[in-house]
Every structure is written in C-alpha cells, then in structure tokens.
C-alpha cells in the first residue's frame, strides 16, 4: 500500500491558532464565587483542563482555551456555574 493512501485519524489546531478557542464558542461558563463551595468537581471534570485551581481552591476559567462544552456547569453540585451566551468579539 502506498503511503498516500493512508488516512490517519488525526486532528490538529489550525495553523496560527495554537490551540486557542478563538471566536467560535457559543456559550461560556461564568462562576458565581458567592455560591462556589470549592469542591473542585469542575476542575476534575473539565476535559480541556481550562478550570484554573487557585491556592485557596477557588476556581476560575481560562477563556483562551475553554471550549464551552458545559460539563463544568453540569457537574457543579450547587449550580455555581452558568453557561451564558458569548458576545461576539468578546471572551
Ligand atoms: S465549558 Fe467545558 S471546556 Fe470550558 S471550563 Fe467548562 S468543562 Fe472546561
Ligand atoms: S464544581 Fe461548582 S462548587 Fe465545585 S469548585 Fe466548581 S464552581 Fe465551585
């Protein structure tokens, strides 16, 4: 078999994008720090590792790489994370 005929199941970030999410995300998670009980479930479950854990176990979101999947909001036991619509041009 010639090498040209091989189709490999690979995906890569677009050249120049460097893996950052860019502008295609429709919803972003917003954490209500007043409700958060610092259980760290969102940090554990985020498939992109874009929940940032701080020294006091509070959490925040790295919006440069968050894909807006909503898993963190789904897992939060006290509903401290709300998925809010993106404003075009903002992150
Ligand atoms: S929306 Fe998804 S990618 Fe973004 S912080 Fe939550 S779990 Fe991670
Ligand atoms: S899952 Fe909810 S309560 Fe737990 S650390 Fe994350 S935001 Fe806070």
């Amino acid at each position: 078999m010639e090498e040209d005929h091989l189709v490999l199941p690979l995906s890569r970030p677009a050249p120049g994008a460097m893996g950052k999410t860019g502008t295609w995300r429709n919803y972003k998670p917003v954490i209500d720090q007043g409700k958060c009980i610092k259980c760290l479930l969102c940090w554990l479950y985020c498939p992109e590792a874009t929940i940032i854990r701080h020294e006091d176990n509070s959490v925040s979101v790295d919006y440069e790489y968050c894909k807006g999947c909503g898993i963190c909001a789904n897992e939060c036991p006290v509903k401290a994370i709300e998925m809010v619509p993106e404003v075009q041009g903002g992150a």
Side-chain angles (χ1 to χ4, degrees):
M1 183 187 297
E2 288 182 28
E3 218 171 283
D4 299 11
H5 297 154
L6 291 174
V7 179
L8 298 175
L10 293 177
S11 67
R12 293 194 173 93
M18 302 298 286
K20 291 185 179 179
T21 301
T23 56
W24 56 263
R25 186 179 56 217
N26 290 326
Y27 286 86
K28 68 177 180 180
V30 174
I31 299 172
D32 182 338
Q33 300 292 342
K35 284 187 185 175
C36 175
I37 58 172
K38 302 180 179 178
C39 69
L40 299 176
L41 283 178
C42 55
W43 175 74
L44 282 170
Y45 277 94
C46 174
E48 304 293 332
T50 52
I51 296 280
I52 302 163
R53 177 184 179 177
H54 301 284
E55 271 188 24
D56 64 351
N57 282 338
S58 64
V59 288
S60 57
V61 179
D62 181 350
Y63 291 117
E64 294 268 29
Y65 293 94
C66 166
K67 301 296 184 285
C69 67
I71 290 174
C72 54
N74 203 45
E75 295 299 329
C76 179
V78 293
K79 301 297 172 205
I81 304 177
E82 184 183 0
M83 299 302 294
V84 302
E86 277 289 357
V87 178
Q88 280 302 318

